Amino acid sequence: MRVAILQQPGEPLALAERPDPEPEADELLLRVDACGICGSDLHVSDAYPLPGLVLGHEFCGTVEAAGPTAGGYEIGDRVAALSLTTCGTCAACLSGRPRKCPSAVMVGIERPGGFAEYVTMPARNVFRLPNTLDAQHGALIEPLAVALHTVDRAALEPGGHVLVVGGGPVGLAVALWARQLGAGEVVVSDPVANRRSLAERVGASATVDPTAEDVGDTFERLTGERPGTVIECVGTPGLIQHATDVAAVDATVVIAGVCMAPDTLLPIVPMTKELDVRFAFYYRARDYDTAISMIDRERIDPLPLVTSEVSLDELPSRFQSLKSPSDDCKVLVRP
Ligand SMILES: [Zn+2]
Ligand SMILES: [Zn+2]
């Protein structure tokens, strides 16, 4: 099969031939239908020496073969994969919190991912896709689950106004869910004009350009108050401080942006406001079910998040170009 692999940090992905993977007894062999490029893929490719690794953890595929104990699926079934493999038997797995499984293995980091024609996954770590969902929907289930878990962590009050900091794929999906789950005004802050217009397409009631306007003042002008919920979806140093600065007294601040650099925070700001600052990471298994069923019932339309599709051949150059600021939101690989 053909795959795209990491070379040394910072170098473009390389195309390579690998033997088709063989499913273990409890695994399915999937033909990858679509795999999203995630910001963390870009980060890993620059930061870690993992030559030969096949990235890609946001994928859906069609079952081509099944190991003898990989029950419940037939050849031709279409599934969306968790971005982890898990043991399936520990307390975390049984309560639907796969990230907290002590045996969790990150797909596309610790085992080969979806930038390939084929990939294997344990049958317990995939979710069947109804025919109403196409491959674009299937590849969006993982980021939609991440965003749904983030909004879940915010414990929104019905009608409460929400500020989403960052209009990348996660921020936009957070805006989509917040609107769907009963928020009042949902304001997205992002410096990129195209992301602000995408935000309005997925349900944001207003947007703000943080390079041109004061975010807190603009939010107050739009909604009549400072944000009672702030959801940070960028992950660069300074933004936790920003989120606490703009938040209302007694607000909830959820940090979903993945920041791998040291950051500073002036604690007196969240202290005097008595902010409830929470972090969000990954998802619960039920978030996959919810995302699939909400698309199936036409309650949400996440397709505006997909701004382009590339073949495996086109992936290395596109992947490189996504490391610079662009108008793209979610780019899918169609191997
Ligand atoms: Zn991701
Ligand atoms: Zn487990």
Side-chain angles (χ1 to χ4, degrees):
M1 67 167 177
R2 301 180 68 236
V3 299
I5 56 172
L6 279 183
Q7 303 191 85
Q8 291 301 324
E11 291 180 6
L13 301 182
L15 297 169
E17 279 289 334
R18 287 267 172 91
D20 288 356
E22 295 276 339
E24 304 278 337
D26 59 349
E27 288 182 342
L28 304 170
L29 174 67
L30 304 178
R31 176 162 46 77
V32 178
D33 292 326
C35 181
I37 300 174
C38 175
S40 70
D41 296 321
L42 304 172
H43 178 75
V44 164
S45 82
D46 279 340
Y48 300 102
L50 297 165
L53 174 69
V54 179
L55 290 168
H57 56 266
E58 301 177 358
F59 60 87
C60 62
T62 303
V63 176
E64 292 261 318
T69 62
Y73 293 95
E74 314 257 326
I75 309 300
D77 283 350
R78 295 164 54 249
V79 298
L82 280 188
S83 50
L84 298 161
T85 65
T86 64
C87 77
T89 57
C90 72
C93 284
L94 293 175
S95 58
R97 295 170 299 149
R99 175 61 211 170
K100 289 166 183 160
C101 171
S103 311
V105 172
M106 289 186 283
V107 176
I109 297 286
E110 296 168 320
R111 60 183 275 148
F115 292 168
E117 290 178 298
Y118 295 97
V119 66
T120 57
M121 280 296 291
R124 64 180 165 275
N125 295 139
V126 303
F127 293 74
R128 188 187 306 278
L129 293 174
N131 286 333
T132 46
L133 273 66
D134 65 18
Q136 290 195 335
H137 294 119
L140 289 172
I141 300 302
E142 199 267 2
L144 284 169
V146 168
L148 177 55
H149 177 62
T150 300
V151 174
D152 199 28
R153 292 283 292 156
L156 296 179
E157 295 285 340
H161 306 317
V162 178
L163 172 66
V164 181
V165 178
V170 172
L172 294 183
V174 161
L176 176 155
W177 284 121
R179 171 43 63 86
Q180 188 60 231
L181 296 174
E185 305 298 330
V186 178
V187 179
V188 174
S189 160
D190 195 285
V192 179
N194 190 52
R195 290 182 162 189
R196 294 197 301 276
S197 66
L198 276 175
E200 292 182 9
R201 284 179 63 198
V202 298
S205 39
T207 60
V208 48
D209 175 357
T211 62
E213 299 168 274
D214 182 273
V215 174
D217 289 349
T218 304
F219 190 96
E220 188 164 4
R221 178 172 51 74
L222 291 166
T223 68
E225 55 198 52
R226 295 265 155 176
T229 302
V230 182
I231 305 181
E232 194 286 302
C233 303
V234 181
T236 53
L239 283 178
I240 298 178
Q241 181 73 59
H242 171 71
T244 60
D245 285 343
V246 296
V249 169
D250 293 328
T252 299
V253 175
V254 178
I255 312 300
V258 180
C259 181
M260 312 272 278
D263 197 1
T264 58
L265 173 70
L266 190 62
I268 194 70
V269 175
M271 177 176 276
T272 52
K273 294 182 184 176
E274 289 201 318
L275 300 183
D276 194 350
V277 180
R278 301 175 183 183
F279 289 81
F281 198 46
Y282 279 77
Y283 40 70
R284 291 185 174 214
R286 68 181 185 203
D287 299 320
Y288 269 63
D289 290 320
T290 304
I292 291 168
S293 122
M294 292 287 268
I295 299 170
D296 181 43
R297 289 182 286 140
E298 298 184 17
R299 293 277 302 279
I300 61 169
D301 174 15
L303 291 187
L305 299 176
V306 177
T307 48
S308 56
E309 296 189 330
V310 296
S311 67
L312 215 44
D313 288 316
E314 295 164 323
L315 173 60
S317 66
R318 192 52 171 275
F319 192 87
Q320 256 343 69
S321 70
L322 284 173
K323 293 177 183 178
S324 316
S326 79
D327 278 351
D328 263 315
C329 185
K330 185 56 75 181
V331 178
L332 301 184
V333 187
R334 300 293 293 264

